[in-house]
């Protein structure tokens, strides 16, 4: 599975697109970084938040593996690779 998202830090808003080999993608969702961090297990939350904010601020790449809890309570590992990009024009 692949989830691609664009985060707009000034508004703390994200556009999230889920692509899966086992189900159709569906419409993009909107959310916030705070909403995603709430699903991240506590030992990983601050490190991920700090890394993503550094990516947005300084273009420092992020490459972290951490655990999240799905809405049904199942835990799973997630790999996040993030880089800052800007839209021209």
């Amino acid at each position: 599975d692949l989830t691609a998202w664009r985060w707009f830090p000034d508004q703390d808003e994200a556009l999230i697109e889920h692509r899966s080999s086992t189900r159709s993608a569906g419409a993009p969702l909107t959310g916030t970084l705070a909403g995603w961090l709430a699903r991240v297990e506590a030992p990983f939350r601050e490190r991920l938040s700090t890394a993503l904010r550094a990516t947005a601020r300084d273009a420092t790449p992020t490459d972290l593996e951490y655990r999240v809890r799905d809405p049904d309570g199942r835990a799973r590992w997630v790999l996040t690779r993030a880089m800052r990009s800007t839209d021209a024009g």
Side-chain angles (χ1 to χ4, degrees):
D1 290 0
L2 173 68
T3 301
W5 54 284
R6 294 179 57 171
W7 175 45
F8 304 93
D10 292 343
Q11 297 89 18
D12 191 26
E13 183 175 283
L15 177 64
I16 304 158
E17 296 182 77
H18 181 75
R19 298 182 184 119
S20 172
S21 58
T22 58
R23 60 181 180 233
S24 60
L29 305 171
T30 59
T32 64
L33 178 61
W36 177 251
L37 290 174
R39 293 183 51 196
V40 174
E41 290 188 347
F44 305 99
R45 196 172 296 139
E46 185 62 32
R47 184 172 176 209
L48 177 62
S49 177
T50 299
L52 291 175
R53 291 184 190 287
T55 298
R57 183 186 61 242
D58 307 326
T60 303
T62 294
D63 191 354
L64 290 173
E65 190 172 11
Y66 54 94
R67 287 175 57 96
V68 298
R69 291 281 171 181
D70 287 337
D72 64 6
R74 288 184 303 158
R76 64 185 172 97
W77 285 97
V78 173
L79 172 65
T80 290
R81 291 188 174 139
M83 64 180 197
R84 184 177 74 183
S85 65
T86 57
D87 292 331

